[in-house]
Amino acid sequence: MGPRVGQIAVIFVSRRTNEDAAGYAEAAQAMDALAAAQPGYRGIESARGADGLGITVSYWADDASAKAWRDHPEHRAIREAGRDRWYEDYDLSVADIFRNYSWTRG
């Protein structure tokens, strides 16, 4: 982690289907690697519960970088596959980070 002030957070909350877990895992890994290679990428954090609810937050230098990721052709194709197979539903929010705190056990 680290300072996030001034970055854009793309918050993706989703519920998975029970379909094609292996395909989902492969696609998620590929998208993580592809996102990390994009200009303006600042990191990602993700968690998924046993009930299928997941939260992924990707961080971007600015809104233009986040939009470029949204519009990337490979990302767009995987997003469509997700709608067809892997997600029951999802909600996506984009936020400016204007305050950030961190703490680590010493």
Side-chain angles (χ1 to χ4, degrees), residues 6-89:
Q7 294 181 10
I8 298 296
V10 177
I11 306 158
F12 181 72
V13 180
S14 64
R15 280 189 311 138
R16 288 260 295 116
T17 66
N18 291 322
E19 292 183 47
D20 188 22
Y24 177 81
E26 183 179 323
Q29 187 174 37
M31 289 301 98
D32 285 352
L34 183 61
Q38 300 310 302
Y41 175 85
R42 296 294 182 259
I44 194 166
E45 298 170 320
S46 188
R48 183 164 305 278
D51 62 354
L53 180 69
I55 301 172
T56 299
V57 182
S58 61
Y59 300 96
W60 300 90
D62 51 39
D63 194 45
S65 299
K67 286 178 178 176
W69 171 241
R70 176 197 66 194
D71 296 338
H72 190 286
E74 289 179 63
H75 183 218
R76 183 174 299 192
I78 290 296
R79 188 169 56 240
E80 290 304 317
R83 290 176 180 160
D84 289 343
R85 290 192 298 264
W86 299 315
Y87 295 119
E88 289 291 338
D89 56 61

